[in-house]
Amino acid sequence: MPTQLKHRLSKGVFGTGWADGAICIVLAASLYLVNLIYALLNHGPAILHLKSALDDIIPLVPIFVIPYISLEPLTYLTLVIFLLFNTRIFKSASLSFITALLVSYVFYIFLQSEMIRPALIGTDVLTQMIRGVYASDNPYNCFPSLHTSLSTILAIHWLKADRRIGIGFAIWTVLIVASTVFVKQHYVADIALGLVLAFSISWLYMKLLLKSPQPPDGTAQV
């Protein structure tokens, strides 16, 4: 095994000892279980209707369904990489995810929101993909936007783990966040609170768990 790869794996779940590994497993299981709650809350009646004048002028842009649906596979891939190569990053990202989900659930329980979706008239592949998104997700659980908060949390942690990969991921995250309004899944207000959650929660856990500074040359820590 190459020395560099061996060194990186030494900071992952197979190199940090059974106790750290057990913590990571508990966090992974907790994240999975907390994520299941989303579907239980995804119903009306809605209390908040946050459509603004800005939302009225934002068009439906079908191509943005591609970054929108990319969040789920990118999340799984990222968490696996963090788990294998840096359990501190994995723990910070997982705790950030869990906290963002739980805070969002409070809004969905007490201040449920609703997105008024447009009628889709096209028959092209991208429009059909948007129909699939609509069919799999009720138009509730909008404020705050989890697509915004979770993708931003991933980008923030990638920037900490590896600046070069992080910059590319951050650019793609901008597209994911933009996609939430361009496929008419969220309003601008949903994005705003999602960003506040992501930055505040990530700052908290990174301060607690990732105290060592980023190498000045931006080399990978994962």
Side-chain angles (χ1 to χ4, degrees), residues 132-207:
V133 170
Y134 289 179
S136 64
D137 186 17
N138 293 331
Y140 303 102
N141 290 4
C142 298
F143 180 78
S145 164
L146 282 172
H147 252 69
T148 296
S149 59
L150 300 185
S151 63
T152 303
I153 286 169
L154 289 179
I156 291 170
H157 282 81
W158 263 119
L159 285 167
K160 178 65 176 178
D162 187 305
R163 188 166 297 276
R164 289 165 295 189
I165 297 176
I167 290 173
F169 202 100
I171 293 171
W172 188 252
T173 294
V174 171
L175 295 178
I176 294 175
V177 172
S179 76
T180 64
V181 292
F182 284 121
V183 300
K184 298 300 179 177
Q185 277 287 84
H186 286 282
Y187 295 129
V188 172
D190 306 333
I191 290 178
L193 185 55
L195 290 172
V196 170
L197 278 179
F199 281 100
S200 58
I201 292 169
S202 296
W203 175 84
L204 172 64
Y205 287 117
M206 292 176 78
K207 183 176 179 64

Side-chain angles (χ1 to χ4, degrees), residues 45-156:
I47 296 174
L48 296 179
H49 297 85
L50 299 172
K51 186 177 182 180
S52 67
L54 179 57
D55 293 297
D56 282 330
I57 64 175
I58 296 175
L60 175 71
V61 184
I63 190 67
F64 274 92
V65 72
I66 294 175
Y68 187 87
I69 65 175
S70 73
L71 176 60
E72 186 172 353
L74 286 175
T75 298
Y76 292 140
L77 178 61
T78 293
L79 290 177
V80 168
I81 291 173
F82 288 167
L83 181 64
L84 291 176
F85 295 105
N86 195 318
T87 57
R88 291 199 308 154
I89 295 278
F90 174 81
K91 286 183 284 189
S92 177
S94 296
L95 285 168
S96 296
F97 265 43
I98 291 170
T99 304
L101 287 166
L102 292 176
V103 171
S104 298
Y105 292 164
V106 173
F107 282 89
Y108 303 159
I109 293 170
F110 297 105
L111 292 171
Q112 181 62 287
S113 51
E114 181 180 13
M115 174 72 196
I116 305 302
R117 295 166 170 170
L120 299 176
I121 58 175
T123 58
D124 59 281
V125 172
L126 294 173
T127 302
Q128 295 286 19
M129 291 170 66
I130 296 176
R131 286 194 177 94
V133 170
Y134 289 179
S136 64
D137 186 17
N138 293 331
Y140 303 102
N141 290 4
C142 298
F143 180 78
S145 164
L146 282 172
H147 252 69
T148 296
S149 59
L150 300 185
S151 63
T152 303
I153 286 169
L154 289 179
I156 291 170

